[in-house]
Amino acid sequence: MEVSNKQVIYRDYITGFPKETDLVLNTSTISLKVPEESNGVLVKNLYLSCDPYMRILMRKVQDNNLFTYYIPGSPITGFGVAKVLDSRHPNFKEGDLVWGTTTWEEYSLITTPETLIKIEHTDVPLSYYTGILSMPGMTAYAGFYELCSPKKGECVFISSAFGAVGQIVGQFAKLTGCYVVGSAGSKEKVDLLKNKLGFDAAFNYKEEHDLDAALKRYCPDGIHIYFDNVGGKMLDAVLLNMRPQGRIAACGMVSQYNLEEPEGVKNLMQVIYKQIRIEGFVVFNYYHLYPKFLDMILPHIREGKIVYLEEINEGLESGPAALIKLLSGRNVGKQVVVVARE
């Protein structure tokens, strides 16, 4: 049986800041049965995740092989939660709930279902599997615990601290007994970091004309751990404020995503003077830790020791505006698009 299938289409390669008009809605048709020659699964998409890395996929210049870049005229892809309607893969059956990479449309044929992870715990909101219980949560867990080896009493600074990853890192750091400082782009986000997410201090980087001075004010004894989501000028200022043997987890460089020419970093000699360790990482290399991650985080969520702030957008047609809102920093919480609730 074929049914209509609404999709979000990527119009063309983007330079500068993306706009809602760069993404258009389209309706096609799709069969709700997996072809006989395929070992794929046919899913109904329920929740879609808006993530900063998606901006990288809109570039014409493809400077890495980690991602599958968007093709003009085709639907965009991203992380999501879906329900299996039909399967020719032995690991999945009709009715299974899964999270992983899917297409921004109502129904998707996923031909490589090995990348999907089955959802076993449904006593928490399903939308959490676009964020705290999926890629962003694993990113926070791997970057903070595996790369940074935190110790009680250390000063942890997180840029883009109100993002889908940053808000989790901050709470992990508090659970470890660290002093936690975050930067964000609005007074509302700063207030939520301190009053809702338990950060010890936070500041609006847009109001700070001297980032070095701001960091000295909020981290007067220096920074042991920097969880970097933005790169650029913030990274440069942080290098001046790191403690000896400090650790930097390079998670993202969102300040650079819309630039034609990336900014340089001037203070790299600090890495030598202070024996700082900077390490980049890709979360996919840590997915083998997912069961261990769930064992750690689920009790904290159930007991209310970790909270997660989401901004829910109803309907696939809200997707373009939701994604652009995230990419322009106007979101308040993890951006989630609800395609269907069941």
Side-chain angles (χ1 to χ4, degrees), residues 9-13 57 62 68-76:
I9 303 294
Y10 172 54
R11 189 192 292 273
D12 203 353
Y13 298 116
L57 309 188
Q62 302 180 7
T68 300
Y69 284 74
Y70 297 154
I71 300 171
S74 298
I76 66 172

Side-chain angles (χ1 to χ4, degrees), residues 172-278:
F172 284 165
K174 287 303 297 179
L175 288 171
T176 308
C178 299
Y179 183 81
V180 184
V181 179
S183 64
S186 72
K187 182 182 184 302
E188 181 183 11
K189 293 179 182 181
V190 167
D191 290 343
L192 286 167
L193 286 173
K194 293 187 291 186
N195 301 325
K196 189 76 173 177
L197 299 176
F199 281 58
D200 295 292
F203 63 91
N204 181 353
Y205 72 90
K206 294 179 181 177
E207 295 179 349
E208 300 290 347
H209 302 295
D210 185 338
L211 293 174
D212 177 29
L215 291 169
K216 284 181 167 56
R217 193 163 71 248
Y218 288 99
C219 309
D221 296 322
I223 299 166
H224 295 89
I225 292 172
Y226 174 40
F227 200 99
D228 186 12
N229 292 302
V230 304
K233 293 180 175 66
M234 185 66 80
L235 173 59
D236 230 3
V238 166
L239 288 171
L240 295 173
N241 289 274
M242 290 297 293
R243 300 262 302 190
Q245 287 83 48
R247 290 88 74 200
I248 298 176
C251 175
M253 301 273 166
V254 70
S255 70
Q256 309 299 296
Y257 294 167
N258 295 308
L259 303 180
E260 289 298 295
E261 291 292 330
E263 296 173 328
V265 177
K266 302 174 183 177
N267 296 319
L268 282 173
M269 279 300 292
Q270 297 296 320
V271 176
I272 300 170
Y273 297 152
K274 297 176 180 177
Q275 307 100 63
I276 299 167
R277 177 164 57 83
I278 304 178

